[in-house]
Amino acid sequence: MEMAHGQRLISPTACCSAKGEAMFSSLIVAYLFAGGMGGGATMVLGALCLMSFSRGRSFASVETVLCASEPRRVVPASLPSCRVLARSFGAASVALLAGISCLVLDVGRADRMLDLFVPRLTFLTFGAYALAACLFIALIVGSLWGFPWRSVRTTLLVVLHALAIVVGLAVVLYASILLASIPAVPLWHSPWLVVLFVLSSLSCGLALVLGVVHLSGQTSDVSCVRVLSGIDMVFLALEGAACLLLALGGFAASASGSNGTEVALAASLETLLFGDGSWVFWLGFVAVGLCGAIVADFTVVLRPDNNVVGLTASACVMVGGFVLRWCVVAAATHPFIMESLMAFGAG
């Protein structure tokens, strides 16, 4: 986004012309969604495996199955099969690759792409390295689960799954803080937006894993499916609470309307919640992404072997996660909001 005098606030995902006409790239929405979901899935899978390994279970059983010619057995008993774990890490890798592709396409020029990996610490380079590291770890761990190996050290398995948690968390935080780090856009510059996007990324990551489990038709371990669906319900409920607190905090901060920041914040909230396109937010995020997903997850808890309902729950969560980011980005890049910032000045 660029102000009329040329000051760059965020580039190249959004910009503002001299006439105050706001534009934003849909690539940033896809990038935030795909990157956050891929990071969340990698983090969830790493935590799931480490927690199962730590419950007094022998790592020898893991080595035995990884060395076996048939990788479909459940190891340990609380985990999905090796093939499902491999597919889940593969799905996370695809999401991360999609996020990286959107970032590269959004940057556009070769010299700018090189700037993503220059040896100096910036917020953008941190995100680029986090995405690359997360993709690398997801591919490595997925290959360990997906192909028979003659020798796998238990220490290596623990280290790699711990790294999956760390790099997954880094990607989730980056995809959540990116917009909030821009003070010139008041709707984005809120800690509640960070909380909202973190919870959404974790929920989407869980939905991706559960979607792979249900799509594979291997829900023999009902306790694992029930636990993951229950955790997803908690994330969704907290996500709704964070969204409510974001809106309430925004209305409180913009009550006086004494400067351009408050006017722009009020206009953003008005656009998001009550504008002409607000039905997308209420239908896509609130109705489908929150309410519909919670109902579907609750049904999965009762009937964990129902793959149709499980896939429906995953689809609802993903639709809600994408719509949330689309609406938040669109509400903050409305032409009137840009004109207000330029007329009154940010702050």
Side-chain angles (χ1 to χ4, degrees):
M1 186 180 304
E2 296 183 2
M3 303 299 287
H5 52 72
Q7 179 183 2
R8 175 165 295 180
L9 302 177
I10 179 172
S11 176
T13 59
C15 65
C16 181
S17 67
K19 295 181 179 180
E21 296 175 349
M23 299 172 289
F24 70 95
S25 171
S26 58
L27 289 171
I28 188 61
V29 180
Y31 161 64
L32 293 173
F33 170 70
M37 180 172 63
T42 303
M43 183 180 173
V44 165
L45 287 166
L48 176 64
C49 293
L50 281 187
M51 289 176 63
S52 297
F53 293 161
S54 66
R55 292 176 181 174
R57 306 180 189 277
S58 173
F59 285 103
S61 61
V62 181
E63 292 184 0
T64 299
V65 171
L66 287 175
C67 296
S69 60
E70 178 54 63
R72 296 182 182 180
R73 291 175 54 192
V74 176
V75 182
S78 61
L79 285 176
S81 70
C82 295
R83 178 165 296 181
V84 172
L85 286 173
R87 290 174 177 174
S88 297
F89 275 109
S93 300
V94 170
L96 290 166
L97 183 60
I100 293 173
S101 300
C102 290
L103 178 62
V104 170
L105 290 173
D106 193 44
V107 171
R109 284 168 35 187
D111 57 336
R112 289 178 176 174
M113 285 187 280
L114 292 176
D115 287 341
L116 296 176
F117 296 96
V118 293
R120 66 173 183 271
L121 182 60
T122 65
F123 194 63
L124 190 60
T125 56
F126 171 80
Y129 277 110
L131 281 166
C134 193
L135 175 60
F136 177 75
I137 294 297
L139 289 172
I140 293 297
V141 179
S143 67
L144 288 176
W145 286 111
F147 298 98
W149 294 81
R150 295 187 178 278
S151 177
V152 177
R153 293 184 178 275
T154 57
T155 304
L156 177 62
L157 290 174
V158 173
V159 170
L160 286 175
H161 285 88
L163 284 175
I165 297 175
V166 173
V167 295
L169 178 61
V171 171
V172 167
L173 289 176
Y174 174 72
S176 303
I177 297 174
L178 179 61
L179 294 185
S181 64
I182 306 170
V185 183
L187 178 64
W188 296 345
H189 195 57
S190 168
W192 288 116
L193 183 68
V194 177
V195 175
L196 177 60
F197 276 14
V198 167
L199 291 169
S200 177
S201 295
L202 293 175
S203 179
C204 288
L206 265 173
L208 182 62
V209 173
L210 284 168
V212 172
V213 172
H214 288 287
L215 192 61
S216 301
Q218 300 183 22
T219 54
S220 56
D221 184 15
V222 296
S223 62
C224 178
V225 176
R226 279 175 172 159
V227 169
L228 292 181
S229 296
I231 294 174
D232 193 41
M233 290 173 62
V234 174
F235 282 150
L236 290 170
L238 293 175
E239 194 178 335
C243 185
L244 178 62
L245 290 172
L246 173 66
L248 293 177
F251 281 122
S254 62
S256 63
S258 58
N259 54 51
T261 298
E262 295 183 0
V263 171
L265 178 55
S268 293
L269 290 171
E270 177 73 19
T271 300
L272 177 66
L273 301 177
F274 311 111
D276 293 338
S278 62
W279 64 271
V280 178
F281 173 82
W282 290 104
L283 178 61
F285 174 63
V286 178
V288 175
L290 292 181
C291 299
I294 289 175
V295 171
D297 272 333
F298 182 74
T299 306
V300 172
V301 171
L302 298 178
R303 293 287 306 276
D305 58 341
N306 192 325
N307 293 319
V308 174
V309 177
L311 289 172
T312 301
S314 297
C316 287
V317 173
M318 293 179 189
V319 168
F322 183 83
V323 169
L324 170 65
R325 288 157 178 79
W326 178 275
C327 291
V328 167
V329 170
T333 53
H334 191 279
F336 172 76
I337 298 168
M338 297 296 103
E339 291 170 1
S340 300
L341 286 173
M342 287 186 291
F344 291 95

